[in-house]
Amino acid sequence: MIKKDICLVSPPTRGNVKTVPIALIYLAGWLSKEGIDVDIIDIKINSYKGIDAKNESEIVDKIIRNLDSLKPHVVGLTAFTSEYNNVINLAKSIKDKINTKIVVGGVHASLQPEDFIYDNSPVDIAVIGEGERTLSEVVNNVKNNQALETIDGICFLKEGNAHYTNPRKLIENLGDLSLPLYSKLNMDYYLKVERHIIRYLYTSGVHILTSRGCPFNCTFCAAKNLWKDPACNRRVRFRDINQVVDEIQYLKDTFSIDSFYIADDTFAVNKNRAMQFCDEILSRNLKLIWAMETRVNLVSDELLKMIKKAGCIQVEFGVESGSQDALDRMKKEIKVEDTVRAFDMCKKHRLRTFANIMINTPGETEKDLNDTIKLKKRLKASHAGMNLTIPIIGTDIYEKYVSPKFSRDELGIFSDPHLYTKILDPRFRLAKHGIDLNKMYYRLNVCNYLNSFFEFTFNAKYIKSILNSRRKHQFAGSVLKNLYKQINSYARFIFGFLR
């Protein structure tokens, strides 16, 4: 029997996630280009209430059946910290039934690989950092029964201890990457009309990447520790603009997408490149709507005018706080005035805005909190998301404020659905003031929840995209389904507020 070289598996926690698994399709594209026989197992269920224990068990069973049929030499898993327990349990289930090597990559494996590599762990190898080249070498070495020590960027068990090989250099030229292998996914599922591409607007599309990395040092973000390169200090690498737009063109021609979202850590960090991207979108007459996230100090009238012309209808910003002291403590490297100016410019160009705002910031005082509330009112964003700042693993604030650190057995707390809405552990409280942050979260978000119920925009490009959509017959059904979901969500929200 011919065995698959490798199967990349989406964790069961993502069984109802509507966002394309970007990491897996990039890996699949690279491996396929290298002549490695790769498949993706991405089991989906129809659930608006999250993945419960029963759903997870059903997904795991389907994964095992698929793996038993394909019999791969290697199984590749991925995990955020919030998925740690689920992925360990999945790996145990696979090991019990399938004779294969299990490799785990992704955010948590890159930041704390030793959490996967220990005596009697079901995981054989943890990939640290960028996975394309590393995973290709792992597959070839496993198939040929060769030693793992020669592979850079991994951690495995040796003589009872976690053994680290040399750090892996980042791919210098992202042009070497292949087109993500969308053909390995059920794109009919991912392209259903939903509200997750351009927040709160119904559309069909995907998230795309035009770069990797971020040059900034925000203390609440782990990005700078995920994209380390032992060879240089360069923390942002860019894909060729033509290659990016080729991908968008492919998605439109092959799957009839209506929209896309640029999921870069910081799009427009290079203004000239952002303008070039818009020029290429316009020159190909793609007529797609899109959204992006960037920093308030990176936008200008010229840039906003250009992105709007190229089809962008929404810009998301990391506002974080209305207190300059709080922003400085977080090393955000922006001024409150930059935020006001950015939102005013977006209003001038009639671009929708989304404000990401945080409370419970490090050392937050009552004045800091009040300044943040005042700024939110001043900005009048189309939508705002206000969440608790949580010191996640890999961030500066985790290293500085969390003591003792969370043990492997405690990592389940990061999967709690209330992680960003309640202080679940005293180690998560960063604010100095004594205000009840659980109640404050609910009070600040009541209007946000109500505002999202019947959200619509009379943006001409958006309305035209609906009328021209191949999936326009899905819009009414999606609105009703999401309304039902929102009513349930709002009821839970109100129940939490009253408690």
Side-chain angles (χ1 to χ4, degrees):
M1 177 180 289
I2 298 176
K3 300 173 70 172
K4 278 279 179 185
D5 290 335
I6 182 170
C7 286
L8 304 174
V9 180
S10 287
T13 44
R14 304 183 195 182
N16 66 342
V17 170
K18 305 298 193 298
T19 306
V20 164
I22 295 178
L24 296 189
I25 56 177
Y26 265 103
L27 288 169
W30 178 277
L31 294 169
S32 182
K33 183 184 76 168
E34 293 289 302
I36 292 171
D37 190 11
V38 59
D39 212 339
I40 294 177
I41 299 175
D42 184 36
I43 306 298
K44 295 298 179 183
I45 62 168
N46 291 316
S47 173
Y48 279 94
K49 297 181 180 180
I51 303 298
D52 58 22
K54 181 182 177 183
N55 296 145
E56 184 168 355
S57 178
E58 290 174 357
I59 293 171
V60 170
D61 287 344
K62 289 179 180 179
I63 290 171
I64 298 297
R65 288 200 296 272
N66 275 271
L67 290 173
D68 189 44
S69 172
L70 296 169
K71 294 181 168 47
H73 292 280
V74 176
V75 171
L77 307 178
T78 182
F80 293 110
T81 301
S82 59
E83 299 169 314
Y84 175 78
N85 285 341
N86 308 85
V87 168
I88 285 290
N89 290 334
L90 172 61
K92 288 177 181 175
S93 298
I94 294 171
K95 276 290 187 185
D96 287 343
K97 304 285 179 61
I98 311 292
N99 180 23
T100 187
K101 291 290 185 183
I102 296 181
V103 180
V104 175
V107 173
H108 195 81
S110 295
L111 296 171
Q112 291 191 180
E114 66 277 6
D115 286 339
F116 292 101
I117 305 300
Y118 53 87
D119 265 336
N120 299 316
S121 169
V123 176
D124 298 293
I125 303 166
V127 172
I128 304 167
E130 204 163 52
E132 281 87 355
R133 286 175 174 163
T134 306
L135 197 54
S136 175
E137 292 177 22
V138 165
V139 172
N140 287 324
N141 280 35
V142 168
K143 283 180 62 180
N144 297 308
N145 294 313
Q146 295 175 339
L148 298 174
E149 281 87 350
T150 59
I151 303 173
D152 291 344
I154 63 172
C155 178
F156 60 94
L157 198 69
K158 184 177 181 181
E159 298 176 355
N161 296 306
H163 175 75
Y164 294 81
T165 62
N166 293 326
R168 166 72 61 177
K169 294 179 182 179
L170 296 176
I171 297 171
E172 186 172 343
N173 179 14
L174 293 187
D176 292 342
L177 295 171
S178 303
L179 185 75
L181 214 55
Y182 292 96
S183 60
K184 294 292 183 180
L185 300 176
N186 176 6
M187 290 301 288
D188 286 338
Y189 174 88
Y190 286 109
L191 293 176
K192 289 177 182 176
V193 174
E194 292 285 353
R195 307 171 83 204
H196 66 283
I197 300 297
I198 301 175
R199 292 208 218 199
Y200 298 111
L201 293 183
Y202 291 94
T203 185
S204 170
V206 299
H207 288 63
I208 65 163
L209 291 173
T210 82
S211 67
R212 287 183 177 179
C214 178
F216 299 100
N217 295 294
C218 302
T219 61
F220 54 85
C221 179
K224 66 180 180 181
N225 291 320
L226 285 172
W227 301 108
K228 287 182 177 179
D229 190 332
C232 67
N233 294 319
R234 186 160 57 98
R235 297 219 309 261
V236 183
R237 292 155 299 143
F238 301 103
R239 293 177 67 195
D240 178 77
I241 289 297
N242 285 322
Q243 185 187 52
V244 174
V245 183
D246 283 347
E247 179 183 345
I248 298 169
Q249 181 86 58
Y250 164 80
L251 288 165
K252 181 179 180 181
D253 294 345
T254 307
F255 301 110
S256 300
I257 64 167
D258 303 319
S259 65
F260 61 90
Y261 178 83
I262 298 177
D264 295 13
D265 286 326
T266 306
F267 185 67
V269 68
N270 182 324
K271 180 184 172 182
N272 289 335
R273 181 175 177 276
M275 299 288 278
Q276 183 188 349
F277 172 80
C278 294
D279 280 334
E280 189 63 25
I281 290 288
L282 289 166
S283 70
R284 300 199 195 189
N285 198 29
L286 290 178
K287 295 181 179 178
L288 296 171
I289 57 172
W290 52 283
M292 68 175 199
E293 181 174 358
T294 191
R295 291 168 61 91
V296 294
N297 59 340
L298 295 181
V299 295
S300 64
D301 270 319
E302 181 186 21
L303 178 62
L304 293 177
K305 182 179 179 181
M306 188 63 169
I307 64 172
K308 180 181 178 181
K309 184 179 179 182
C312 182
I313 65 173
Q314 181 161 303
V315 184
E316 301 189 9
F317 294 105
V319 171
E320 324 312 0
S321 176
S323 161
Q324 191 60 54
D325 288 341
L327 291 172
D328 293 343
R329 287 194 296 270
M330 292 186 281
K331 298 183 181 179
K332 182 67 182 178
E333 297 181 35
I334 62 171
K335 300 294 184 185
V336 175
E337 293 79 13
D338 295 331
T339 303
V340 173
R341 173 177 157 272
F343 277 77
D344 285 349
M345 282 194 293
C346 285
K347 288 189 185 75
K348 172 184 172 183
H349 292 282
R350 296 185 178 181
L351 286 163
R352 288 165 51 88
T353 51
F354 188 94
N356 291 287
I357 302 173
M358 305 191 302
I359 60 175
N360 186 45
T361 58
E364 181 181 80
T365 64
E366 191 168 343
K367 182 181 182 300
D368 294 333
L369 182 57
N370 289 332
D371 286 345
T372 298
I373 295 170
K374 288 177 185 175
L375 180 64
K376 177 182 179 293
K377 293 177 180 176
R378 163 66 178 82
L379 296 179
K380 294 183 173 62
S382 306
H383 282 283
M386 300 190 73
N387 290 307
L388 299 181
T389 309
I390 299 300
I392 59 173
I393 290 171
T395 63
D396 291 350
I397 57 175
Y398 180 81
E399 294 303 318
K400 182 175 181 178
Y401 293 100
V402 175
S403 182
K405 299 294 185 275
F406 285 88
S407 68
R408 196 167 65 219
D409 294 334
E410 295 179 293
L411 294 178
I413 195 170
F414 290 96
S415 65
D416 192 293
H418 300 293
L419 180 64
Y420 295 101
T421 65
K422 293 181 179 179
I423 300 295
L424 300 173
D425 185 288
R427 287 171 285 184
F428 286 156
R429 187 173 182 98
L430 305 174
K432 278 186 176 180
H433 57 69
I435 295 171
D436 187 329
L437 287 166
N438 299 344
K439 290 183 178 179
M440 179 59 68
Y441 166 82
Y442 285 104
R443 183 169 74 82
L444 293 176
N445 280 285
V446 167
C447 291
N448 293 340
Y449 267 80
L450 287 172
N451 191 31
S452 69
F453 255 63
F454 297 103
E455 168 64 14
F456 191 74
T457 178
F458 291 98
N459 180 288
K461 285 190 174 76
Y462 174 64
I463 294 172
K464 191 172 181 179
S465 77
I466 295 176
L467 296 175
N468 292 334
S469 175
R470 196 185 80 179
R471 300 173 180 85
K472 53 178 166 282
H473 63 283
Q474 293 182 12
F475 278 81
S478 293
V479 170
L480 291 174
K481 287 178 182 177
N482 276 284
L483 186 58
Y484 170 76
K485 177 184 176 182
Q486 285 176 267
I487 290 171
N488 278 323
S489 176
Y490 191 66
R492 291 194 298 272
F493 178 87
I494 292 297
F495 178 71
F497 177 70
L498 294 176
R499 289 175 60 189

